[in-house]
């Protein structure tokens, strides 16, 4: 059985791309979700079962936006086994398209506009080949959602093929704070109670791409890479430029931190023979406004940190260690500089007063509680709650900095220090080892699906163990234990006031995940494009076979 789905998935992809749904932009994500909802409601099956398709608004969100989902209940048997398909409908922005902005949503006319730009030989060749569809979200990942829509339509017409159930959830806000999937988890839990669904697998269709120009493979990924954002608040000691040794510049400490963290291959995390890329800086800045001849008082930096096997506790431990090293190196550096300056100036050298002072956020709160009593904790929690109420759209990282600054006000010791914390949402690593029955079944089902489709796909289809980009799959399962997550929360200034990670809810769903995803090039770039044959035909067929196999 091979689905003739190319034309319909192509049509749906083009329609979805034509609805701008840039993350956070008013109306966009909702418009896209509504299009999907209406597509389902136009099908006979959902006319008869309207309660099985829904448009749902995200919870605890500062933007009004929606996700859409539908489910088909198989009639082949009485099994409650249920497969979840997920795919995000939001996209990144289109400012990079410049004056061609509107063409970002017009796959038919975008290529001719791109040809007017200096886009390079490879893109020109891909346009000439006619094998690609261009447009914002074409690759990441409206074509994946389109494939799932097709499959819901197909199974709504053939529920007799399923001994079990199939849900397709098209969620908003993947590119930012994952409100779409987090609200979805609650919905999956509700359906578990209402319909008795027993979740056995989750199939995502997020994008994949080659590892280099010569790479002809297509990739399917079990599990997912994890991501954390170790962040460093650095308070120095300000000084006038004329008294250069009178202060300690936070920018110097931050620079040393970046040198120690960025592209440090000792911080690559390896599991199952696959290795993460090392950390890279995503921010390094001080808080000084405007120009003065005084050095900065404080600054911060944060680094992307991917994981395959490391827990948040491990990541915090190595980040703290790097902070200690950076602080020590800078103290040695400024003292050596001062010694040479004293020699040149013929004055006696006395070591500078700086002492290394590094805390994790958890340690800093414990320290302040010891000094100031339990009122400190009560105050800081209320402060964070109020800050979120007053400025709900405040960037999560800056929110954390504001909370730390408030804590500093309770500290009578104003000497230079580093506070290490987690500044962003937690994307859990998911490592599939085949140790549970569900994992074994999914691994086998996908392998059979790949074997079946491979003969019609000219490119080798490879299976890897960690999806290497961040995706909403991270919310469908968790490989770390509960105590580890609690420990992570203690190092998040936004924990339970602005950022909520419901580990119990994730555990409630907890399914093995696989990414049978779109393939193309240049995700998040102007030349974003999806390979049509593979994505509109081979991907839905592999997903179809995996579902059939799982719900046989
Ligand atoms: Zn994506």
């Amino acid at each position: 059985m091979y689905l003739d789905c190319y034309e319909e998935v192509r049509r749906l992809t083009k329609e979805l791309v034509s609805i701008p749904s840039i993350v956070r932009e008013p109306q966009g994500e909702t418009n896209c979700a509504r299009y999907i909802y209406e597509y389902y409601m136009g099908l006979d099956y959902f006319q008869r079962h309207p309660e099985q398709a829904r448009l749902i608004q995200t919870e605890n969100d500062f933007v009004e936006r929606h996700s859409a989902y539908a489910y088909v209940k198989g009639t082949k048997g009485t099994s409650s086994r249920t497969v979840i398909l997920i795919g995000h409908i939001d996209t990144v922005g289109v400012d990079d398209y410049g004056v061609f902005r509107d063409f970002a949503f017009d796959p038919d006319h975008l290529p001719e506009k791109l040809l007017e730009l200096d886009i390079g030989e490879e893109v020109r060749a891909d346009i000439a080949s006619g094998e690609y569809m261009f447009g914002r979200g074409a690759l990441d990942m409206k074509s994946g959602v389109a494939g799932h829509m097709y499959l819901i339509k197909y199974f709504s017409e053939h529920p007799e093929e399923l001994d079990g159930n199939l849900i397709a959830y098209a969620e908003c806000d993947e590119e930012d704070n994952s409100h779409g999937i987090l609200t979805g988890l609650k919905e999956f839990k509700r359906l578990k109670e209402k319909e008795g669904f027993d979740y056995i697998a989750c199939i995502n269709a997020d994008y994949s791409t080659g590892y280099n120009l010569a790479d002809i493979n297509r990739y399917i990924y079990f599990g997912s890479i994890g991501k954390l954002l170790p962040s460093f608040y650095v308070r120095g000691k300000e000084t006038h430029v004329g008294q250069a040794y009178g202060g300690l510049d936070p920018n110097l400490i931050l620079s040393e931190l970046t040198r120690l963290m960025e592209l440090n291959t000792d911080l690559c995390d390896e599991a199952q023979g696959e290795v993460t890329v090392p950390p890279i800086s995503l921010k390094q800045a001080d808080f000084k406004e405007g120009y003065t001849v005084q050095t900065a008082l404080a600054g911060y930096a944060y680094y992307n940190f991917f994981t395959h096997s490391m827990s948040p506790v491990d990541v915090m431990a190595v980040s703290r260690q790097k902070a200690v090293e950076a602080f020590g190196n800078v103290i040695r550096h400024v003292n050596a500089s001062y010694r040479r300056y004293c020699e040149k100036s013929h004055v006696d050298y006395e070591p500078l007063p700086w002492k290394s002072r590094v805390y994790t956020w958890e340690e800093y709160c414990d320290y302040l509680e010891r000094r100031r009593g339990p009122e400190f904790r009560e105050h800081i929690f209320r402060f964070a709650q109020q800050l979120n109420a007053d400025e709900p759209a405040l960037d999560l990282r800056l929110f954390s900095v504001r909370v730390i600054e408030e804590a500093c006000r309770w500290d009578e010791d104003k000497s230079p220090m580093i506070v290490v914390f987690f500044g962003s949402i937690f994307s859990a690593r998911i490592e599939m080892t085949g140790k549970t029955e569900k994992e074994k079944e999914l691994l086998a089902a996908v392998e059979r699906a790949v074997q079946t489709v491979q003969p019609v796909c000219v490119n080798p289809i490879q299976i890897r163990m960690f999806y290497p980009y961040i995706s909403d799959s991270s919310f469908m399962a968790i490989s770390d234990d509960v105590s580890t997550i609690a420990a992570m929360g203690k190092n998040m200034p936004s924990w339970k006031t602005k950022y909520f990670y419901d580990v119990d809810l994730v555990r409630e769903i907890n399914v093995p995940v696989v990414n049978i995803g779109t393939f193309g090039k240049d995700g998040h770039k102007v030349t974003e494009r999806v390979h049509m044959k593979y994505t509109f035909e081979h991907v839905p067929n592999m997903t179809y076979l995996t579902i059939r196999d799982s719900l046989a």
Side-chain angles (χ1 to χ4, degrees):
M1 177 74 192
Y2 192 74
L3 303 176
D4 180 19
C5 51
Y6 182 93
E7 279 308 325
E8 177 71 348
V9 177
R10 191 173 102 100
R11 182 185 73 81
L12 288 170
T13 301
K14 216 159 85 175
E15 298 241 326
L16 290 172
V17 171
S18 75
I19 305 167
S21 53
I22 295 162
V23 69
R24 279 190 311 272
E25 276 195 4
Q27 301 303 319
E29 291 164 272
T30 294
N31 289 341
C32 197
R34 184 171 295 115
Y35 172 84
I36 295 165
Y37 171 74
E38 284 169 0
Y39 174 82
Y40 292 141
M41 290 309 286
L43 303 172
D44 286 348
Y45 180 89
F46 294 100
Q47 290 287 310
R48 292 196 305 279
H49 304 286
E51 74 289 353
Q52 287 177 224
R54 276 191 76 190
L55 191 62
I56 56 166
Q57 188 176 345
T58 53
E59 294 178 10
N60 305 318
D61 199 353
F62 56 92
V63 180
E64 185 186 331
R65 54 186 156 193
H66 294 76
S67 303
Y69 74 88
Y71 59 96
V72 172
K73 294 201 248 182
T75 56
K76 185 178 174 187
T78 54
S79 172
S80 54
R81 290 160 65 88
T82 302
V83 172
I84 303 172
L85 309 177
I86 61 170
H88 69 86
I89 55 173
D90 60 316
T91 72
V92 292
V94 291
D95 290 344
D96 47 346
Y97 287 80
V99 292
F100 296 149
R101 189 185 195 280
D102 292 343
F103 289 94
F105 312 109
D106 183 354
D108 286 337
H109 298 101
L110 179 58
E112 63 204 58
K113 285 287 162 192
L114 289 174
L115 287 171
E116 295 171 21
L117 302 175
D118 180 21
I119 47 171
E121 271 322 298
E122 193 198 353
V123 182
R124 280 177 194 280
D126 284 347
I127 290 175
S129 76
E131 291 180 10
Y132 290 85
M133 180 189 284
F134 288 72
R136 177 55 84 232
L139 168 64
D140 183 14
M141 55 162 281
K142 289 178 168 177
S143 49
V145 172
H148 292 172
M149 290 166 74
Y150 176 89
L151 289 169
I152 285 290
K153 175 172 185 270
Y154 177 86
F155 283 112
S156 78
E157 290 159 0
H158 301 279
E160 75 285 355
E161 289 185 21
L162 298 179
D163 186 8
N165 316 289
L166 178 69
I167 305 179
Y169 189 81
E171 77 274 13
C172 56
D173 190 30
E174 189 268 350
E175 301 288 358
D176 196 7
N177 288 326
S178 291
H179 283 103
I181 195 69
L182 290 171
T183 303
L185 290 178
K186 293 187 184 168
E187 204 62 16
F188 299 149
K189 185 181 176 208
R190 196 182 66 77
L191 290 173
K192 184 177 171 182
E193 285 154 9
K194 179 182 166 227
E195 302 278 8
F197 289 167
D198 170 21
Y199 299 120
I200 57 162
C202 171
I203 306 174
N204 196 351
D206 216 328
Y207 85 93
S208 64
T209 192
Y211 286 83
N212 54 57
L213 259 181
D215 188 354
I216 58 161
N217 296 313
R218 304 288 185 256
Y219 293 96
I220 285 174
Y221 298 96
F222 290 116
S224 179
I225 201 166
K227 176 196 185 278
L228 283 155
L229 194 75
S231 308
F232 301 81
Y233 174 84
V234 179
R235 188 177 63 207
K237 175 89 180 116
E238 75 278 31
T239 187
H240 186 279
V241 288
Q243 296 163 295
Y245 293 102
L248 187 62
D249 181 8
N251 284 312
L252 187 57
I253 297 175
L254 289 166
S255 306
E256 180 63 7
L257 261 171
T258 298
R259 194 183 69 81
L260 293 175
M261 293 287 290
E262 179 147 328
L263 303 183
N264 181 347
T265 49
D266 291 344
L267 304 180
C268 294
D269 186 15
E270 188 181 337
Q272 303 200 47
E274 294 179 23
V275 67
T276 62
V277 293
I280 191 158
S281 161
L282 289 172
K283 185 83 170 182
Q284 181 181 322
D286 66 43
F287 299 118
K288 203 172 106 173
E289 275 174 41
Y291 172 81
T292 67
V293 288
Q294 181 166 306
T295 58
L297 174 58
Y300 75 140
Y302 46 78
Y303 306 88
N304 187 76
F305 200 116
F306 285 128
T307 59
H308 280 171
S309 70
M310 290 170 81
S311 75
V313 172
D314 300 330
V315 174
M316 182 48 70
V318 298
S319 301
R320 188 189 190 286
Q321 181 52 35
K322 291 298 155 200
V324 169
E325 271 177 60
F327 214 136
N329 290 351
V330 166
I331 291 174
R332 273 190 298 281
H333 171 77
V334 296
N335 271 308
S337 168
Y338 184 51
R339 180 191 290 272
R340 283 191 298 275
Y341 175 76
C342 289
E343 281 162 13
K344 287 187 175 211
S345 319
H346 308 292
V347 294
D348 290 337
Y349 164 76
E350 282 279 342
L352 295 164
W354 316 124
K355 290 197 170 44
S356 178
R357 195 178 172 217
V358 174
Y359 302 98
T360 63
W361 173 240
E362 180 183 7
E363 290 166 346
Y364 194 50
C365 289
D366 288 347
Y367 159 80
L368 289 176
E369 189 177 23
R370 279 197 304 276
R371 300 189 74 87
R372 306 297 300 264
E375 306 89 274
F376 164 71
R377 266 189 209 279
E378 288 154 29
H379 171 81
I380 208 73
F381 189 75
R382 273 199 314 276
F383 174 85
Q385 273 181 326
Q386 191 59 45
L387 179 59
N388 190 42
D390 292 345
E391 299 180 52
L394 185 61
D395 177 85
L396 193 53
R397 289 130 293 262
L398 284 173
F399 175 92
S400 302
V401 164
R402 295 269 289 275
V403 174
I404 294 169
E405 284 174 339
E406 180 65 18
C408 290
R409 288 166 19 104
W410 286 63
D411 185 0
E412 61 269 17
D413 181 351
K414 305 295 182 197
S415 65
M417 67 164 181
I418 304 177
V419 177
V420 192
F421 62 102
F422 287 126
S424 198
I425 65 164
F426 170 54
S427 296
R429 69 186 179 89
I430 302 176
E431 185 177 3
M432 283 184 56
T433 52
K435 62 184 178 304
T436 68
E437 217 34 57
K438 284 177 183 176
E439 285 185 11
K440 264 194 220 110
E441 282 174 14
L442 183 61
L443 291 162
V446 172
E447 272 163 25
R448 281 191 290 268
V450 170
Q451 278 163 18
T452 307
V453 171
Q454 182 67 82
V456 295
C457 177
V458 290
N459 302 78
I461 303 168
Q462 308 280 356
I463 296 177
R464 296 269 177 111
M465 294 315 290
F466 294 95
Y467 181 68
Y469 319 106
I470 318 300
S471 84
D472 276 344
S473 297
S474 283
F475 296 93
M476 301 305 292
I478 183 156
S479 298
D480 292 310
D481 60 46
V482 178
S483 64
T484 303
I485 303 306
M488 174 186 74
K490 289 187 177 146
N491 280 311
M492 280 187 167
S494 58
W495 188 247
K496 294 194 171 161
T497 53
K498 184 178 174 76
Y499 176 60
F500 301 84
Y501 181 85
D502 191 341
V503 66
D504 296 330
L505 189 54
V506 175
R507 292 195 156 262
E508 185 102 32
I509 310 303
N510 210 26
V511 277
V513 300
V514 63
N515 193 78
I516 305 177
T518 69
F519 177 86
K521 298 177 187 172
D522 296 349
H524 296 203
K525 293 187 191 167
V526 190
T527 44
E528 170 174 359
R529 58 199 183 279
V530 65
H531 189 268
M532 296 194 288
K533 181 81 173 168
Y534 179 75
T535 305
F536 301 161
E537 188 179 310
H538 301 144
V539 166
N541 269 287
M542 285 188 285
T543 307
Y544 168 74
L545 291 167
T546 304
I547 295 165
R548 279 285 305 252
D549 205 318
S550 303
L551 303 176

